[in-house]
Amino acid sequence: ISSSSCTNTYNVSSGGTGASTSGTIYGVYDMSGGADEYVMGVYNQVIWDAGFSSLPNSKYFDNYTSTVATSACNSGICYGHALSETSGWYFDGSSFIGSKLPWLYRGGANTGWSNVGIFSFGNLGGGSGIDVSFRVVLLD
């Protein structure tokens, strides 16, 4: 196969690195959609379909007590999490969690929807799926 037909030529600037956030092989790829990425944000400690029987230590997840991202959630915890602040940026989708869909995701699955992107966030039940992933966050 010639190098011009390889998949690494996506958004080429040099060897496929044009799709990277830094324009190098060291950047982050596919920032605009790809999968719904679970983050440890949950509504009112509702586990529902998450596949485990209890939540971890509270320092490992954000417990939101409101169903509206723009209100003061858990003593103002919504602000500073890039939910209220980025809602609707670049037409990315934004729907907050609630009792029926208690788990927060970011990114959005690239399955034909036009509202996925780096600022997209929404709600899911906690279960697995073919277009669902997770996002790792390092704690200090």
Side-chain angles (χ1 to χ4, degrees):
I1 296 176
S2 71
S3 63
S4 63
S5 65
C6 291
T7 56
N8 70 347
T9 58
Y10 173 72
N11 218 2
V12 175
S13 67
S14 175
T17 59
S20 160
T21 56
S22 66
T24 69
I25 63 170
Y26 304 107
V28 178
Y29 289 82
D30 294 326
M31 294 297 290
S32 190
D36 296 328
E37 298 174 337
Y38 278 119
V39 294
M40 285 302 287
V42 66
Y43 173 73
N44 251 1
Q45 298 187 14
V46 174
I47 295 174
W48 202 50
D49 190 28
F52 44 86
S53 58
S54 64
L55 289 167
N57 185 306
S58 63
K59 72 179 183 179
Y60 296 117
F61 69 94
D62 293 316
N63 183 49
Y64 297 101
T65 57
S66 174
T67 57
V68 182
T70 56
S71 67
C73 302
N74 209 14
S75 301
I77 200 168
C78 283
Y79 291 99
H81 289 200
L83 298 174
S84 306
E85 302 90 334
T86 62
S87 180
W89 282 16
Y90 299 95
F91 303 103
D92 286 358
S94 59
S95 55
F96 206 58
I97 54 182
S99 59
K100 301 283 186 201
L101 298 169
W103 288 98
L104 185 67
Y105 76 83
R106 293 187 183 263
N110 192 6
T111 55
W113 295 99
S114 60
N115 60 348
V116 299
I118 192 164
F119 299 109
S120 176
F121 66 89
N123 49 32
L124 290 171
S128 62
I130 61 170
D131 56 355
V132 179
S133 182
F134 61 93
R135 186 174 290 191
V136 177
V137 177
L138 301 176
L139 297 176
D140 179 341

